[in-house]
Amino acid sequence: MQPDHPTVRVVLAEDGVLLREGLAGLLERFGFVIVAAVGDAAALADAVAEHEPDLVLTDIRMPPGFTDEGLRAAVALRRANPDLPVVALSQYVERSYAAELLDSGHGERVGYLLKDRVVDVEDFVSTLRQVVAGGTVVDPQVVRQLLNHRRDPLARLSPREHEVLALVAQGHSNAAIARQLVVSEAAVGKHVGNILAKLDLPPTEDTNRRVLAVLAYLRGGADR
Amino acid sequence: MTVPNPRTPWEALTHRRFLLGTWPWQALGHLLGTCLLVVAVAPLLGLLALPWLVAGSRLLVASSPSLGSSLAMTVLGAGLLAVGLPLVAVPLAALERRRLRMVDSRPVHSGRPRPSTEDRWRQLRTWYGEMATWREVAYAVLLVTVGPFLCVVGFGTLLVPVLFLASPLLVQRGGAPVILGFVSVSSTPEALGYAALGLLLLPLAAYLLALLAGAHAAVARALLHGGHEQLRAELVEVSRSRARLVDAFEAERRRIERDLHDGAQERLVSLTLRLGLARLDLPPGSTAHRNVVDAHEQAKQLMAELRELVRGIHPRVLTDRGLPAALGELADRSPVRVAVRADLPDRLPTHVEATAYFVVSEALANVAKHSGATEVVVTARRDGGLLTVEVADDGRGGADPERGSGLTGLADRVAVIDGRMFLSSPAGGPTLLRVELPCSQITPPSA
């Protein structure tokens, strides 16, 4: 148990028994409380209704159809409760999944990660905490692919601003970005300001604009 | 028109040296054989047709037979003919094909596929289902009905000049007047005149015989030769089996992908996760910690490699999300900027999706490798039963299917599902690759 973190009650949905047990073990190791671990989307909805968890962690591909049942369930849950933190695990990068998920609720407290990320256990756990704390996290690979092919209005961003936006999309704070890029926090703030301006995002509450910037990415993906 | 090396009596007819060659004798020999066969086969067919002949004659002589017995006779006769005719006709046809070689040097085949079994009984049964058999039956029936007339005409043709030629001898030996058709000859000088006429008629008879033998050979070839039919049937079977092979291949790939995905990949992620957990509990700097960290990194590497491998076998996104999503993923992974316009509301048949994906995947790889393009546009649209996929780049062009097997492989893959591929790639560019894939079957949109 790590006392500096509040106890997070988790509903876990994953159809692979081995991985489900592994994930449960991992989460418990870091002080999360697994209130339910289920194997399909219907059971996920039931478990959330019953336990009202602090976090939902779900595989996207689940029985019975093995396509996007987990995503459908997650989107439905967030429609009912837009503040419910949800992290979805995907087998492959599918931008429409990420966009759908981010469009649900207010675009906050939501994460889209490749399944393989779970093996970097500490990063994974910190990602979950970011989402619980209200952050938005998109898998670095999704961001990287978007950056490879982005056109206007993102084409107007400088390479450095791209880098910063990528880190924003991954849910990092200005301070964390500054550490990672080895620049001052003020410099990061300036970059973020430029990004928001270049993406024509209205100057309102700060987190929301950051989320909107990420969404701009993903929406750009619609026409690819 | 003169044929240099005649292959049939009809071709030989136009030849200047026809009378000096062997063709008149070949024709004569062939006709002789035909007549012998008519004599041999006619009783057999007559026997088979006996019930019908009886029923027919009863009707003719109006001996007021009961309707029932006539009907029974007719049905019995039909059965007897249906079962018996092929038994006579097939061996007869085999013999006739051999005999046909005497007057026709072109190859002649039954058109039957090589028997797939040694089992004689089964082979016999397949006879009854084959088109070739019933054409052979038609030949047998023609032989015993038209054949006699052929023989009469043929030997009449020969008999007249021969008798004319022989008339002097006949007159001398017998003394009595010799009747030659409508005329009677009684004196030697008169007979000599007819002999001269016979000599003139003899070449004419040779031509007539060749004409008759040619007619018979043409009919026999038309009914007994099934070379093209066999070839066509084999071709259809070959293209079907090719499509089946590709389908099976594709299904097998999907199965392997699924097995790896649900089995090995899942287990490996779980294993790597446990290694990641284990390294947290070991004191940093210890040998155990170093080993576990090492194992964890190796497992992660293996995970990445396995994911790429599985993706190469059959992309999961194609199975789950269909063609537009899979094309989008391809575009994302391409080093060249790719715009995808895929407006496909419905899922397509799996083999069409797989082929279209394969084509775009290969085309994008080619673009990245050879074209020097900076921008690619991939479009996919469906008009009724036709899916059209285009890959257009702004590169330097000059793509040539003759060089390099990539484009040939694409064309082969497209041909398997009866699709067509077009390539326009002038030197200097741009390059446009278009494939049209038929997809009649409509699958409802998934999820």
Side-chain angles (χ1 to χ4, degrees), chain B residues 132-148:
Chain B
T133 302
W134 298 102
R135 282 191 284 112
E136 287 166 357
V137 165
Y139 175 81
V141 172
L142 267 181
L143 186 73
V144 297
T145 50
V146 183

Side-chain angles (χ1 to χ4, degrees), chain B residues 191-265:
Chain B
L192 279 176
Y194 279 106
L197 185 62
L199 207 59
L200 283 177
L201 282 178
L202 208 53
L204 196 65
Y207 276 103
L208 257 170
L209 285 180
L211 203 65
L212 289 173
H216 176 248
V219 171
R221 167 167 283 276
L223 287 172
L224 302 181
H225 177 54
H228 294 301
E229 199 173 283
Q230 182 189 11
L231 207 61
R232 202 175 307 125
E234 276 174 3
L235 208 58
V236 166
E237 185 44 41
V238 165
S239 45
R240 275 190 196 146
S241 77
R242 181 175 67 166
R244 277 199 302 273
L245 272 178
V246 170
D247 270 356
F249 185 60
E250 199 49 49
E252 187 66 3
R253 286 173 81 104
R254 277 200 301 276
R255 192 190 62 75
I256 292 170
E257 186 270 343
R258 204 175 49 238
D259 286 358
L260 282 176
H261 192 277
D262 294 340
Q265 244 182 332

Side-chain angles (χ1 to χ4, degrees), chain B residues 285-301:
Chain B
S286 67
T287 317
H289 183 259
R290 267 204 308 281
N291 281 338
V292 171
V293 167
D294 200 32
H296 185 226
E297 293 305 320
Q298 280 187 33
K300 272 161 56 173
Q301 187 68 33

Side-chain angles (χ1 to χ4, degrees), chain A residues 34-219:
Chain A
I34 308 290
V35 291
V38 298
D40 64 74
L44 168 63
D46 293 344
V48 170
E50 188 187 337
H51 299 288
E52 294 180 356
D54 305 319
L55 173 68
V56 170
L57 176 61
T58 179
D59 189 4
I60 285 181
R61 182 173 181 266
M62 278 205 291
F66 291 103
T67 54
D68 56 358
E69 282 78 1
L71 181 84
R72 300 274 137 255
V75 169
L77 287 173
R78 280 180 57 82
R79 204 171 294 136
N81 177 9
D83 291 324
L84 176 70
V86 170
V87 172
L89 300 177
S90 186
Q91 309 279 355
Y92 44 82
V93 177
E94 171 53 42
R95 236 184 273 167
S96 67
Y97 286 167
E100 252 181 276
L101 208 53
L102 287 161
D103 264 342
S104 68
H106 309 301
E108 293 170 32
R109 297 175 202 279
V110 62
Y112 173 83
L113 287 180
L114 283 184
K115 212 169 187 178
D116 291 0
R117 299 293 166 222
V118 305
V119 302
D120 289 313
V121 289
E122 283 169 300
D123 291 349
F124 177 62
V125 165
S126 91
T127 300
L128 296 184
R129 291 225 157 90
Q130 282 174 39
V131 170
V132 172
T136 303
V137 182
V138 177
D139 193 275
Q141 200 178 328
V142 180
V143 175
R144 207 175 311 129
Q145 287 188 5
L146 290 169
L147 284 173
N148 278 344
H149 298 281
R150 264 309 20 91
R151 285 189 263 184
D152 295 357
L154 293 154
R156 284 179 289 194
L157 303 187
S158 71
R160 190 54 149 187
E161 286 160 359
H162 268 288
E163 235 173 313
V164 172
L165 182 52
L167 292 167
V168 169
Q170 288 166 39
H172 293 291
S173 67
N174 283 7
I177 294 170
R179 269 201 306 284
Q180 206 154 335
L181 298 180
V182 202
V183 293
S184 70
E185 200 175 329
V188 173
K190 210 180 100 210
H191 284 311
V192 171
N194 286 342
I195 292 166
L196 299 179
K198 283 185 180 175
L199 296 182
D200 302 321
L201 295 174
T204 53
E205 201 266 308
D206 197 34
T207 358
N208 253 330
R209 294 172 72 204
R210 290 171 78 105
V211 171
L212 288 173
V214 174
L215 273 174
Y217 254 172
L218 299 164
R219 294 241 178 72

Side-chain angles (χ1 to χ4, degrees), chain B residues 39-369:
Chain B
V39 172
V41 173
L44 278 175
L45 291 201
L47 212 61
L48 289 172
L50 203 59
W52 277 13
L53 294 176
V54 170
S57 66
R58 274 202 206 161
L59 277 178
L60 280 180
V61 298
S63 62
S64 66
S66 74
L67 193 66
S69 80
S70 287
L71 199 67
M73 207 61 121
T74 313
V75 171
L76 177 74
L80 200 61
L81 284 169
V83 174
L85 275 178
L87 294 179
V88 177
V90 174
L92 171 69
L95 178 64
E96 281 297 68
R97 273 190 283 271
R98 279 172 173 277
R99 252 173 25 86
L100 196 56
R101 289 184 205 155
M102 193 190 285
V103 288
D104 189 344
S105 57
R106 293 171 298 175
V108 54
H109 305 290
S110 73
R112 283 199 176 78
R114 203 179 295 271
S116 56
T117 164
E118 287 293 302
D119 185 352
R120 277 177 171 270
W121 175 236
R122 183 174 296 184
Q123 195 182 323
L124 208 61
R125 273 187 301 167
T126 61
W127 277 1
Y128 289 93
E130 285 172 339
M131 207 39 224
T133 302
W134 298 102
R135 282 191 284 112
E136 287 166 357
V137 165
Y139 175 81
V141 172
L142 267 181
L143 186 73
V144 297
T145 50
V146 183
F149 294 101
L150 187 78
C151 293
V152 169
V153 173
F155 285 95
T157 305
L158 195 62
L159 208 61
V160 170
V162 168
L163 275 180
F164 277 18
L165 272 175
S167 61
L169 287 173
L170 294 173
V171 167
Q172 275 192 336
R173 181 169 297 177
V178 178
I179 316 282
L180 296 172
F182 304 107
V183 293
S184 68
V185 184
S186 47
S187 69
T188 310
E190 217 180 342
L192 279 176
Y194 279 106
L197 185 62
L199 207 59
L200 283 177
L201 282 178
L202 208 53
L204 196 65
Y207 276 103
L208 257 170
L209 285 180
L211 203 65
L212 289 173
H216 176 248
V219 171
R221 167 167 283 276
L223 287 172
L224 302 181
H225 177 54
H228 294 301
E229 199 173 283
Q230 182 189 11
L231 207 61
R232 202 175 307 125
E234 276 174 3
L235 208 58
V236 166
E237 185 44 41
V238 165
S239 45
R240 275 190 196 146
S241 77
R242 181 175 67 166
R244 277 199 302 273
L245 272 178
V246 170
D247 270 356
F249 185 60
E250 199 49 49
E252 187 66 3
R253 286 173 81 104
R254 277 200 301 276
R255 192 190 62 75
I256 292 170
E257 186 270 343
R258 204 175 49 238
D259 286 358
L260 282 176
H261 192 277
D262 294 340
Q265 244 182 332
E266 199 85 37
R267 279 163 178 270
L268 186 55
V269 173
S270 161
L271 170 70
T272 315
L273 172 67
R274 279 169 197 277
L275 283 171
L277 273 178
R279 67 190 271 184
L280 295 177
D281 294 331
L282 292 166
S286 67
T287 317
H289 183 259
R290 267 204 308 281
N291 281 338
V292 171
V293 167
D294 200 32
H296 185 226
E297 293 305 320
Q298 280 187 33
K300 272 161 56 173
Q301 187 68 33
L302 183 58
M303 256 172 57
E305 281 169 16
L306 185 62
R307 179 159 21 84
E308 276 311 296
L309 178 73
V310 169
R311 202 189 149 274
I313 293 170
H314 189 92
R316 166 60 51 182
V317 59
L318 182 63
T319 316
D320 288 357
R321 301 280 292 177
L323 193 56
L327 293 184
E329 205 226 6
L330 272 182
D332 278 348
R333 297 170 67 95
S334 168
V336 186
R337 193 156 70 180
V338 181
V340 177
R341 297 191 198 110
D343 186 21
L344 302 167
D346 296 335
R347 284 299 292 266
L348 304 165
T350 44
H351 65 281
V352 176
E353 283 189 340
T355 306
Y357 179 86
F358 177 78
V359 167
V360 174
S361 167
E362 289 292 307
L364 288 181
N366 275 343
V367 168
K369 241 186 282 172

